[in-house]
Amino acid sequence: DVKVTQSSRYLVKRTGEKVFLECVQDMDHENMFWYRQDPGLGLRLIYFSYDVKMKEKGDIPEGYSVSREKKERFSLILESASTNQTSMYLCASSKQGLDEQFFGPGTRLTVL
Amino acid sequence: AQSVSQHNHHVILSEAASLELGCNYSYGGTVNLFWYVQYPGQHLQLLLKYFSGDPLVKGIKGFEAEFIKSKFSFNLRKPSVQWSDTAEYFCAVLNFNKFYFGSGTKLNVKP
């Protein structure tokens, strides 16, 4: 079974803090994705990566950055957390090409 | 603007009722289509997918979806829902290597 794990299920941070969300997949997938999920808005793509050290902006990259130093790990970074970044963050991975995504359990981030 | 639309935001059904959830998209060219489900407290998982061939696709747990190219639609159906189908359902489109998700439909099945 494909496994996508995220470092925390719940996280509480203060405004202005730097926040790291980690995602690891164990199926040697080339593609990895970060989404945020908000009620009534569905999933919105923040960043994605097709290969190590490669990244592309999604639909809402502002306020976020990412890092992919190893194939299995994709990190999302909030340089200076703000209250409007309170959300559920989902990581996903997929094989290269046209294929389904496999999702992690999500990290519910609250920024106070 | 290009989008994936799920017009039903919240659906309430009794057990054994039939289900149809609408999904329309506005992307041109070749698209691959998916339905994902998120049960309460669980992660998103794939219900079914359409890449090519027979436009009627069967997925897990008795779900099916029909791709109608002329209507840009990929509606999800189940003839008889169960209480365990209570979940949020997301339609997704893969277009030019990017995934686009609808806003989701919450299904509540009353026992």
Side-chain angles (χ1 to χ4, degrees), chain A residues 3 8 11-13 28 33 37 40 43 45 48 51-52 58 74 80 83 85 88 99-100 105-108:
Chain A
K3 207 158 193 184
S8 307
L11 210 50
V12 179
K13 295 291 182 181
D28 203 36
F33 307 81
Q37 182 181 11
L43 277 70
L45 182 64
F48 59 105
D51 202 350
V52 175
F74 192 36
S80 177
T83 54
Q85 292 178 309
M88 172 70 86
D99 210 342
E100 68 183 273
T107 295
R108 186 167 292 284

Side-chain angles (χ1 to χ4, degrees), chain A residues 69-94:
Chain A
E69 297 295 318
K70 293 185 177 181
K71 190 175 186 180
E72 68 271 18
R73 188 180 297 269
F74 192 36
S75 303
L76 179 70
I77 303 151
L78 286 66
E79 295 289 342
S80 177
S82 63
T83 54
N84 63 12
Q85 292 178 309
T86 291
S87 187
M88 172 70 86
Y89 289 88
L90 299 179
C91 176
S93 72
S94 71

Side-chain angles (χ1 to χ4, degrees), chain A residues 1-7 21-34 49-52 67-75 90-96 100-105:
Chain A
D1 270 355
V2 176
K3 207 158 193 184
V4 180
T5 56
Q6 296 183 229
S7 50
L21 303 182
E22 300 281 332
C23 175
V24 177
Q25 50 95 3
D26 66 358
M27 282 301 290
D28 203 36
H29 284 173
E30 288 80 13
N31 305 326
M32 296 189 76
F33 307 81
W34 274 107
S49 169
Y50 287 142
D51 202 350
V52 175
S67 171
R68 193 159 179 209
E69 297 295 318
K70 293 185 177 181
K71 190 175 186 180
E72 68 271 18
R73 188 180 297 269
F74 192 36
S75 303
L90 299 179
C91 176
S93 72
S94 71
K95 290 189 296 187
Q96 193 172 33
E100 68 183 273
Q101 293 185 322
F102 294 86
F103 284 85

